[in-house]
Amino acid sequence: MVNLPGSGDMMSWKEFRVEQPDLARAGAGLLYHFGVGLAFLGTVRADGGPRLHPVCPLLTEDGLYAFIVPSPKQRDLHRDGRYAMHSFPMEDNEDAFYLSGVCGDVSDPQIRDPLARQFADERSDHAQMPPPGGEQHLFEFRVQTAMLTRTTGQGDAEPRHTIWRSA
């Protein structure tokens, strides 16, 4: 089951990919630039302040997901599903991909189990990791805003931004 509070004007990754295929393809490339999904995840603390942590997003044809370990970040997402996600910095330019929206927990084993295998399989070239256990909660991230930044290198004075917002 997916619980996505207040997600009326949000899109699944699949809907976003269909509506904005070039933006989604470029964003996926940046999220997976290092061979596995890597991003920074911003959440909202209980006091309303921001919290930022690295995460390993998982992209499928249908959705954008992440397993979140027991942590303040996990508690933030259960309490207030608003998020911002930003790709890891590139080595030789300042290209970036940013998403924001609302996420919700996914408990359906027909969704969770294949994603747990995907998580382990994506890392099999780097380290033998078991699939995430039950203490790691799976979240689906729905998209409200996306921004792609393209640059000619470090210090580009004229970065090009493509900004999209869900209607």
Side-chain angles (χ1 to χ4, degrees), residues 21 29 33 38 78 92 94 103 107-108 112 116 120 122 141 159:
H33 175 79
L38 292 173
H78 280 296
D92 56 357
E94 295 180 49
C103 70
S107 58
D108 183 344
R112 183 184 166 82
E122 286 181 1
F141 296 85

Side-chain angles (χ1 to χ4, degrees), residues 3 5 11 17 20 40-43 45 49 58 66 75 80 83 117 141 147 157 159 162 166:
N3 175 22
M11 289 188 168
R17 195 172 42 79
Q20 297 291 320
F40 291 103
L41 178 65
T43 61
R45 296 185 324 230
L58 293 165
R75 290 188 298 275
D80 183 335
Y83 79 92
R117 284 191 302 278
F141 296 85
M147 181 176 74
T162 302
S166 177

Side-chain angles (χ1 to χ4, degrees), residues 39-43 51-58 64-78 81 83-85 103-106 112 115-116 119 132-141:
F40 291 103
L41 178 65
T43 61
R51 188 185 315 272
L52 187 67
H53 293 279
V55 295
C56 296
L58 293 165
L64 170 61
Y65 303 91
F67 285 98
I68 307 296
V69 300
S71 62
K73 173 177 41 182
Q74 188 189 81
R75 290 188 298 275
D76 289 348
L77 293 175
H78 280 296
Y83 79 92
M85 188 179 292
C103 70
D105 60 298
V106 179
R112 183 184 166 82
L115 286 165
F119 181 88
E135 76 285 355
Q136 296 186 37
H137 296 182
L138 178 64
F139 291 87
E140 179 183 5
F141 296 85

Side-chain angles (χ1 to χ4, degrees), residues 9-115:
D9 59 346
M10 311 283 166
M11 289 188 168
S12 68
W13 180 259
K14 179 179 184 175
E15 293 165 330
F16 173 67
R17 195 172 42 79
V18 167
E19 184 170 311
Q20 297 291 320
D22 294 338
L23 188 56
R25 187 173 24 265
L30 288 167
L31 289 172
Y32 272 77
H33 175 79
F34 296 96
V36 297
L38 292 173
F40 291 103
L41 178 65
T43 61
V44 181
R45 296 185 324 230
D47 67 3
R51 188 185 315 272
L52 187 67
H53 293 279
V55 295
C56 296
L58 293 165
L59 281 173
T60 70
E61 292 294 314
D62 295 327
L64 170 61
Y65 303 91
F67 285 98
I68 307 296
V69 300
S71 62
K73 173 177 41 182
Q74 188 189 81
R75 290 188 298 275
D76 289 348
L77 293 175
H78 280 296
R79 187 190 70 268
D80 183 335
R82 292 177 294 168
Y83 79 92
M85 188 179 292
H86 193 285
S87 60
F88 266 42
M90 301 288 105
E91 306 89 359
D92 56 357
N93 62 51
E94 295 180 49
D95 289 4
F97 186 58
Y98 164 86
L99 298 163
S100 66
V102 174
C103 70
D105 60 298
V106 179
S107 58
D108 183 344
Q110 291 186 343
I111 298 171
R112 183 184 166 82
D113 293 349
L115 286 165

